[in-house]
């Protein structure tokens, strides 16, 4: 993509009150969102009109213009003069431009409320498009369950910062969080654990999932759901112990870590189960990607399991590592048959990648680099820069894994997702990056916000802007405005510098 062009061409403008927004039918959904936002900012609700006559009288014009294909799938052009004009070749582009406009409006509303029914906006000309197409944030709802209302708020906050992927980590050892009609015990048993403080858990009904998916789609956020396998699956095994090598019984664990009991790879019923689960999942999530985990799978049980050993022998696999790879190939086939693409953690490289698999590189960048060199797409999220469960400073009271380092704001901002060693023709395999929020040490939505912000704002800029436009002192300066907007939205962000 071409670097953004921004020029502030004049001083602040008072525009309005805005009586109307002019737009074509195709841009109407975007105009509705803007109209609501102007209503809540200024108290005046602009009507939406189609008139092409004297459009400038409307003071805001929104155009879906296919002639602007130079702006790419997500770019937009925004001009603010005595009127506002937003143009893009796609609805997603208009939506992104709308977020910029909202940010400028929120900035003005905060700066001056002398005349609240008119908008204060800086005169400017912005031509803008993202550097990366995968701009993601992840959230683990297994270790701690997060209610639907918060998931929606999280999606709102992502969209506001022009993230376009929400990676929803729905299953793990400590809880299965999505209703699967064919296997009711996944949620009646697998969604609950016994803790010192009593029974803990929760899950999303399919109805709720559909609702969240629609909510995200309206905000141009694609949800990538994750079902973990073959490891990190204790909650599922507690519900259906026959899917393990030993037959159990198991409890949903209430402690963190990596557990030896995993799905039995020698049992055909495991794959029947996973196919049925993924069937229901694929019907709920319209996005092209489904995440199937693949990380941190101990091989102890497979070593001692007659069925797993028989599988290794009759498939002529290279030991347990080969069996893990064979397992993930099966997962990839199940998804391909349902028209989906598989994505998994970088361990899926071990023993050979499944065809078409996309790799999420978390143990540094090396897995991503190796996968790109084999012609696979990759998403970068190295622990060093993208693990927002890690502490933000050494201060006492910061919660997070103590064995892990500190990932402060400057570190996140210094992240370069594109590895220098990839040749230009391989760089296209780097789709982008994402921030990961594992919730072992986050019990509440408020604490998730504390860990996510403002680090997600730094990451958002790294993923959107071209490297030559990223500068840390400049970001530090702009951060104040970002934080004022976060204040206005009541976000429990971490105050930098404390
Ligand atoms: C590693 S990242 C994990 C998670 C933990 C996280 C804690 C990954 C694929 N696996 O299960 O929650 O570290 O930072």
């Amino acid at each position: 993509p071409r670097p953004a062009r921004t020029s502030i061409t004049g001083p602040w403008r008072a525009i309005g009150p805005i009586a109307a927004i002019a737009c074509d039918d195709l841009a109407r959904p975007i105009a509705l969102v803007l109209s609501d936002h102007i209503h809540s900012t200024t108290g005046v609700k602009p009507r939406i009109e189609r008139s092409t006559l004297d459009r400038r009288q409307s003071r805001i014009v929104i155009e879906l213009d296919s002639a602007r294909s130079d702006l790419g799938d997500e770019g937009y052009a925004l001009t603010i003069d005595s009127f506002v004009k937003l143009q893009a070749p796609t609805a997603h582009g208009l939506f992104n431009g709308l977020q910029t406009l909202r940010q400028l409006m929120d900035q003005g509303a905060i700066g001056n409320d002398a005349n609240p029914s008119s908008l204060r906006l800086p005169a400017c000309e912005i031509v803008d498009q993202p550097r990366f197409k995968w701009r993601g944030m992840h959230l683990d709802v297994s270790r701690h369950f997060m209610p639907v209302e918060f998931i929606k708020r999280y999606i709102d906050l992502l969209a506001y910062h022009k993230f376009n992927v929400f990676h929803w980590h729905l299953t793990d050892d400590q809880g299965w969080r999505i209703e699967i009609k064919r296997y009711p015990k996944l949620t009646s048993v697998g969604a609950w654990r016994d803790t010192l403080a009593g029974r803990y858990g929760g899950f999303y009904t399919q109805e709720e999932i559909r609702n969240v998916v629609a909510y995200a789609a309206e905000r141009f956020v694609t949800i990538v759901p994750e079902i973990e396998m073959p490891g990190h699956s204790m909650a599922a095994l507690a519900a259906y112990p026959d899917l393990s090598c030993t037959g159990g019984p198991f409890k949903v664990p209430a402690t963190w870590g990596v557990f030896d009991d995993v799905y039995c790879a020698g049992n055909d019923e495991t794959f029947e189960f996973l196919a049925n689960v993924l069937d229901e999942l694929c019907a709920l999530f319209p996005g092209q990607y489904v995440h199937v985990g693949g990380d941190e799978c101990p091989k102890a049980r497979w070593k001692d399991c007659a069925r797993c050993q028989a599988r290794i022998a009759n498939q002529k696999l290279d030991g347990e590592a080969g069996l893990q790879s064979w397992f993930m190939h099966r997962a990839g086939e199940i998804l391909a048959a349902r028209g989906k693409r598989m994505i998994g953690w970088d361990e899926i490289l071990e023993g050979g990648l499944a065809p078409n698999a996309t790799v999420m590189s978390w143990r540094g960048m090396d897995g991503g680099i190796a996968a790109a060199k084999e012609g696979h797409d990759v998403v970068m999220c190295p622990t060093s820069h993208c693990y927002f469960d890690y502490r933000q400073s050494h201060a006492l009271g910061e919660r997070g894994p103590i064995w892990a380092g500190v990932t402060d704001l400057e570190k996140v901002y210094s992240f370069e997702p594109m590895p220098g060693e990839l040749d230009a023709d391989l760089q296209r395999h780097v789709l982008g990056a994402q921030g990961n929020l594992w919730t072992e040490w986050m019990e509440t939505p408020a604490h998730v916000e504390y860990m996510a912000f403002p680090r997600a704002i730094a990451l958002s800029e790294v993923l959107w802007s071209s490297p030559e436009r990223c500068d840390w002192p400049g970001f530090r300066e702009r951060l104040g405005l970002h934080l004022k907007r976060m204040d206005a939205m009541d976000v429990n962000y971490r105050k930098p510098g404390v």
Side-chain angles (χ1 to χ4, degrees), residues 216-232:
E218 282 167 18
R219 287 153 185 79
F220 295 88
V221 170
T222 301
I223 302 186
V224 175
E226 180 177 355
I227 301 291
E228 276 269 18
M229 62 189 78
H232 281 299

Side-chain angles (χ1 to χ4, degrees), residues 143 172 232 295-296 345 362 387 389-390 401 403 438 440:
R143 274 58 177 271
D172 212 303
H232 281 299
D295 60 309
E296 298 182 320
W345 301 108
W362 71 281
Y387 270 46
D389 57 327
Y390 290 10
W403 42 263
W438 301 100
E440 286 97 328

Side-chain angles (χ1 to χ4, degrees), residues 138 140 143 169 172-173 226 228 232 257-258 291 293-296 345-347 360 362-363 381 383 387 389-390 401 403-404 436-441:
H138 151 288
D140 163 15
R143 274 58 177 271
H169 186 79
D172 212 303
D173 297 305
E226 180 177 355
E228 276 269 18
H232 281 299
V258 172
H291 202 302
D295 60 309
E296 298 182 320
W345 301 108
D346 56 52
E347 285 91 333
M360 203 167 254
W362 71 281
R363 299 174 301 175
C381 51
T383 51
Y387 270 46
D389 57 327
Y390 290 10
W403 42 263
N436 290 346
L437 279 157
W438 301 100
T439 55
E440 286 97 328
W441 310 103

Side-chain angles (χ1 to χ4, degrees), residues 327-339:
F327 196 113
M328 299 316 288
H329 274 69
R330 292 288 300 260
E333 283 162 18
I334 293 171
L335 291 177
R338 286 156 184 78

